[in-house]
Amino acid sequence: MMTPDSALFTAMSVINLEGDLLDQGEFNAWLELWQHDGLYVVPIDPNESDFKNTLNYAFDDHHMRERRVKRLYSGESISTTPRARTLRTLSRFRLLESREDLLVVRGAQSLWEHRKGHSRHYAADITWQLKPQDGRWLITQKVIRLVNSDDVLHSIGYIL
């Protein structure tokens, strides 16, 4: 049984690795951090919890995550050419639930995106759910609640 401190450290290790992989453009490695049945969700309504029955900026299962990564690598989308340079600052981690088969952590993310001479900033509360598989913890759900999710958002074709 993990202590709360070791559970939080374990989750933070996965979360920080995820942020680094995304900032470095290592999207295939990012895909390997996910449980096959995991969900990547960016809701429009920051208070929403019924993601399947509401409109979201993203509601990606395994197939859609793979398609998103393919689009980022291919340059097929104008919103990804040239690829944005990003820098994530992750902070304020709080362990919400800790069991042998589930870790739930909430934290804050400040994301700076720079592309074509323009910079944008996105701030979000994020909740990660992690489950063990084959001796390591993988993401089974990531919900990104953007602070300005009900504003007009530009260029969020990349991964938040």
Side-chain angles (χ1 to χ4, degrees), residues 8-152:
L8 183 58
F9 180 79
T10 296
M12 287 172 57
S13 295
V14 174
I15 292 164
N16 283 320
L17 175 59
E18 180 199 27
D20 183 67
L21 292 173
L22 291 173
D23 286 341
Q24 299 307 314
E26 298 176 35
F27 304 119
N28 284 327
W30 174 75
L31 287 172
E32 294 175 15
L33 291 179
W34 285 84
Q35 296 244 338
H36 190 77
D37 62 348
L39 289 175
Y40 167 83
V41 183
V42 184
I44 293 173
D45 180 348
N47 299 311
E48 188 58 66
S49 60
D50 183 9
F51 308 122
K52 288 183 180 182
N53 294 306
T54 57
L55 186 61
N56 302 286
Y57 287 112
F59 185 77
D60 293 1
D61 59 10
H62 177 73
H63 176 72
M64 291 302 292
R65 285 191 306 275
E66 284 185 326
R67 290 185 65 183
R68 186 178 297 274
V69 165
K70 180 181 177 194
R71 191 171 55 250
L72 287 168
Y73 278 134
S74 71
E76 293 172 3
S77 171
I78 194 166
S79 67
T80 62
T81 306
R83 187 174 67 81
R85 293 179 57 209
T86 59
L87 178 66
R88 287 162 179 75
T89 303
L90 299 158
S91 63
R92 201 199 68 213
F93 297 108
R94 179 177 171 203
L95 185 64
L96 299 178
E97 188 172 348
S98 175
R99 301 189 323 236
E100 286 187 28
D101 65 338
L102 177 70
L103 297 175
V104 180
V105 173
R106 184 172 56 223
Q109 175 177 279
S110 179
L111 175 90
W112 288 94
E113 174 248 352
H114 184 79
R115 189 170 67 93
K116 296 182 181 179
H118 299 285
S119 293
R120 290 192 175 90
H121 176 243
Y122 297 101
D125 279 314
I126 301 181
T127 304
W128 293 266
Q129 291 184 14
L130 308 172
K131 290 187 176 182
Q133 179 179 313
D134 300 327
R136 61 188 208 143
W137 289 86
L138 299 176
I139 303 167
T140 191
Q141 182 172 283
K142 179 180 179 184
V143 179
I144 301 110
R145 296 180 190 283
L146 293 164
V147 171
N148 62 336
S149 63
D150 51 0
D151 292 346
V152 175

